[in-house]
Amino acid sequence: MKTIIEADDGKVIPVLTMGPISITPELKRKGYGKVLLAYSLEKAAGLGYGAVLFEGNIGFYGKCGFTYAREFGIRYHDLPEGADDSFFLCKELIPGYLDGVTGVYQTPQGYYVDDSDVEKFDKGFPAKKKLKLPGQII
């Protein structure tokens, strides 16, 4: 999904966000996640996008070339100074794309939905027990 970095110098830097990569438990640890990610990043680069930023687990995404967004000078929107930002990752698709850029990543507006709309949507599915699984951020 398209989004932006609001740079400290006033520029707007177009970037992408995505995720999470999700693999059914019985197929985990077989390389499918890496294949899906590599394919997605290849397509994004082919479209001319310079960087991808998102929330994720460095244990997985770090093996695929992602690093902490803070290393690029990019801050997560609404995150207080000094708060844990180890979930916020970045990968340049065009080397040097973020050189000299510092600023704030903005979550795409399409990610924001009204809780009552979510509740109505969820009622269309059979009830499920909510689980917290390893690798989940929230």
Side-chain angles (χ1 to χ4, degrees):
M1 180 175 278
K2 296 177 190 178
T3 191
I4 61 167
I5 297 169
E6 291 181 353
D8 294 335
D9 66 3
K11 292 180 184 171
V12 174
I13 312 299
V15 294
L16 292 179
T17 189
M18 60 174 277
I21 299 289
S22 221
I23 305 295
T24 190
E26 59 272 11
L27 296 177
K28 284 187 176 187
R29 303 222 176 270
K30 297 182 187 283
Y32 295 118
K34 287 183 183 176
V35 169
L36 286 171
L37 181 59
Y39 180 81
S40 299
L41 296 176
E42 178 183 313
K43 289 297 182 186
L47 291 170
Y49 289 96
V52 176
L53 293 101
F54 60 82
E55 301 92 14
N57 181 324
I58 193 69
F60 172 75
Y61 293 103
K63 296 173 190 171
C64 301
F66 282 82
T67 190
Y68 299 111
R70 72 174 96 89
E71 294 180 16
F72 290 93
I74 310 304
R75 301 177 306 279
Y76 192 80
H77 71 94
D78 299 332
L79 193 65
E81 184 75 28
D84 179 17
D85 65 354
S86 61
F87 63 91
F88 185 42
L89 308 177
C90 179
K91 178 175 179 153
E92 283 185 314
L93 301 176
I94 298 172
Y97 184 76
L98 296 174
D99 285 358
V101 174
T102 60
V104 178
Y105 160 86
Q106 297 298 324
T107 299
Q109 290 302 308
Y111 279 23
Y112 296 100
V113 294
D114 186 273
D115 286 343
S116 64
D117 290 338
V118 172
E119 287 178 34
K120 282 189 268 183
F121 179 78
D122 285 350
K123 286 181 181 176
F125 297 93
K128 288 187 174 185
K129 180 181 173 188
K130 289 193 178 198
L131 303 173
K132 178 149 181 149
L133 302 173
Q136 260 180 266
I137 295 173
I138 54 172

